[in-house]
Amino acid sequence: MQPIIVGAVLYDPKVSVIWDIIRDFFEANEVPMDTVFYTNYELQVSALLAGGIEVAWNSPLAWLDAQRRSENGCRAIAMRDTDRDRCSHLIVASDGPIATLADLRGKTVAFGAQDSPQATLIPKEHLLRHGLGETDYVTRRFDLAVGKNGDHIGGELEAFRCLQRQEAAASCLIDLNWNSWTADGTIDPARYRILTTTGRYDHCVFTVRHEFPREREAPFLHALMAMDYANPKHREMMDLEGLKRWEPGRVNGFELLTAACANQQFFAGR
Amino acid sequence: METHRHSLRLTAGNGAARAYVRKCEFRIGAPLTFDENDPNLTACDYLLGAAAGELVTGLDRLARRRRLTLDRIEAVLHAELAQPLAALGTVGEQGVPRFVAIRITLYVDTLEDPAGIHALWHDVLCRSPIYQTLRACVAFEPRLELT
């Protein structure tokens, strides 16, 4: 079997270590895999559509971009259990003046990077659906690692720091970061609270072109699904990847982001 | 005077190299690793270890020769690698991976006259070929702290 060529975006060189472990796992399961790393999702999507890679580990925004540029010519074949049904929070100071979403009118809201689904695009869509358009609040954006679609937590962290400095009335972050940062002390849950939570959305997804041969897809998915969290040898790898189980890909979790991209004209001119 | 020729012989296989010099040998793992659990010393580890080791042992040995007592020497080295993603062949990364800064601080416990130790330190730097080579191409900041 020829190696399956898998693309991944690196937001940190240490991420390559995870992919080395995954590649070794696939090799041990007699599914040879080669990885190609990219600095940003736009390049990775281009490579996927041009046939340079067969499988792309795509952010949700990259999934939409791949579908947009291929006129729905892609398939979502697998995702982590933790990629399903995520949400984002807008958080505020517990003792501050913001009691409702309407109180954000005229106030500054701190967002992550411009291409972060979880910390910018979806929270803005949420505000819009609750009657707050772009001009109803002041956007303070933290464009860290643009092109990596918010993979880098820096933008969300800087947005929270902005809230801490009282330079914003609210900041946005994905639920996973709220959970870990309130647990590790980065955010004091006694001083900050969740003002509102967005609707559910799906996150990263393994993406292939429609014509990706089923005889290559099947062993790829077989090896992927063979990862077993109950197996101590697999657990470390799965912890690094942030999942307990691989799930089939699904495409019904991108509605919020699709609307966000349309309303914010994210892809205009691209 | 003519240059002194320094030679090593290396063999490679299975992703590692073995270097032979004089009657010694040592193993070199990957060129570089980002894996905190990688058990093998990389070429970059050797480079940075050599840069620090040269100054630490140079100071210790020259102090002994001058009959200056240094009770303890410790050093901490921090290096900054630019364009690390280029080292991984990441598509879209511009430039080449290279160390752009090396900072080393030596902490020396001694009751000797500080002026004498700083003069010693100056001489060590002047005599250190790795430091003198690297400082020509990278921001190399050696610092001595007397404690």
Side-chain angles (χ1 to χ4, degrees):
Chain A
M1 182 180 180
Q2 288 292 312
I4 296 172
I5 305 172
V6 179
V9 170
L10 297 186
Y11 59 88
D12 185 296
K14 286 180 181 170
V15 176
S16 69
V17 177
I18 301 172
W19 283 101
D20 286 344
I21 294 170
I22 296 172
R23 189 185 56 201
D24 290 346
F25 175 84
F26 271 70
E27 297 275 348
N29 281 271
E30 299 179 350
V31 182
M33 172 199 286
D34 283 343
T35 48
V36 182
F37 297 133
Y38 296 88
T39 53
N40 64 74
Y41 281 105
E42 190 174 348
L43 277 176
Q44 176 165 284
V45 169
S46 295
L48 175 71
L49 300 184
I53 55 175
E54 296 174 282
V55 183
W57 179 237
N58 269 345
S59 72
L61 193 62
W63 159 257
L64 293 191
D65 194 27
Q67 286 293 73
R68 181 185 69 93
R69 290 163 62 183
S70 67
E71 297 177 341
N72 297 319
C74 293
R75 291 185 284 120
I77 61 170
M79 61 206 320
R80 299 169 296 191
D81 53 350
T82 46
D83 285 311
R84 292 182 165 202
D85 298 319
R86 298 266 58 87
C87 62
S88 293
H89 302 308
L90 273 80
I91 63 172
V92 296
S94 301
D95 59 357
I98 308 298
T100 68
L101 266 175
D103 293 334
L104 287 176
R105 192 173 297 275
K107 300 290 194 303
T108 298
V109 180
F111 297 92
Q114 60 183 271
D115 60 350
S116 171
Q118 62 265 23
T120 301
L121 294 164
I122 288 173
K124 278 180 174 280
E125 175 65 16
H126 182 75
L127 290 173
L128 183 64
R129 291 182 181 197
H130 288 79
L132 291 171
E134 284 275 354
T135 56
D136 293 322
Y137 54 89
V138 177
T139 294
R140 179 89 184 268
R141 222 174 50 209
F142 291 89
D143 281 334
L144 274 77
V146 172
K148 301 183 197 302
N149 295 181
D151 284 357
H152 191 282
I153 61 166
E156 286 171 65
L157 192 56
E158 285 305 312
F160 171 65
R161 298 290 183 219
C162 181
L163 172 64
Q164 266 188 321
R165 294 191 301 270
Q166 300 182 342
E167 294 171 8
S171 76
C172 309
L173 76 179
I174 195 168
D175 59 340
L176 294 173
N177 283 339
W178 168 259
N179 295 343
S180 61
W181 291 347
T182 50
D184 70 13
T186 303
I187 296 177
D188 180 351
R191 296 187 61 195
Y192 298 94
R193 68 177 182 87
I194 296 170
L195 172 70
T196 183
T197 297
T198 69
R200 298 282 169 178
Y201 57 86
D202 285 354
H203 211 261
C204 295
V205 63
F206 275 121
T207 308
V208 300
R209 283 167 287 130
H210 266 307
E211 59 268 29
F212 182 51
R214 298 285 178 175
E215 62 269 26
R216 290 175 67 70
E217 181 180 330
F220 177 86
L221 290 177
H222 183 75
L224 196 68
M225 302 297 174
M227 290 185 195
D228 179 5
Y229 198 76
N231 183 334
K233 290 181 180 172
H234 300 180
R235 188 173 301 163
E236 183 184 1
M237 169 175 61
M238 297 178 81
D239 281 341
L240 285 169
E241 296 161 16
L243 81 160
K244 290 195 168 51
R245 191 174 63 252
W246 285 101
E247 301 279 2
R250 66 179 190 187
V251 297
N252 60 353
F254 300 108
E255 183 273 332
L256 258 180
L257 185 58
T258 302
C261 289
N263 288 325
Q264 294 165 51
Q265 299 184 308
F266 181 81
F267 289 118
R270 294 175 194 244
Chain B
M1 186 183 171
E2 286 185 11
T3 57
H4 169 72
R5 180 172 291 184
H6 198 97
S7 301
L8 288 84
R9 187 172 65 83
L10 288 99
T11 58
N14 297 320
R18 189 160 288 280
Y20 302 89
V21 57
R22 298 183 302 282
K23 293 180 179 175
C24 308
E25 61 179 280
F26 56 96
R27 188 176 189 278
I28 306 168
L32 170 70
T33 185
F34 299 101
D35 184 356
E36 295 293 332
N37 297 315
D38 190 331
N40 301 306
L41 291 168
T42 68
C44 288
D45 293 332
Y46 278 110
L47 171 74
L48 299 172
E54 176 188 60
L55 299 183
V56 170
T57 58
L59 188 72
D60 184 50
R61 285 168 175 258
L62 194 56
R64 288 169 190 271
R65 187 176 300 173
R66 294 186 182 175
R67 305 186 190 285
L68 295 168
T69 302
L70 306 183
D71 297 315
R72 195 162 59 110
I73 306 173
E74 287 186 9
V76 177
L77 180 145
H78 297 288
E80 286 181 30
L81 180 70
Q83 316 297 348
L85 295 183
L88 295 164
T90 308
V91 178
E93 182 70 332
Q94 305 289 319
V96 295
R98 61 181 292 264
F99 287 105
V100 291
I102 299 174
R103 298 182 194 89
I104 176 167
T105 304
L106 273 72
Y107 298 92
V108 176
D109 281 356
T110 182
L111 296 174
E112 300 284 357
D113 174 26
I117 300 300
H118 281 289
L120 176 76
W121 175 234
H122 176 263
D123 291 347
V124 168
L125 293 177
C126 289
R127 294 177 183 203
S128 299
I130 296 175
Y131 166 68
Q132 293 296 340
T133 302
L134 292 178
R135 72 188 286 255
C137 56
V138 59
F140 198 143
E141 299 172 24
R143 211 159 57 90
L144 183 71
E145 291 268 345
L146 300 182
T147 58

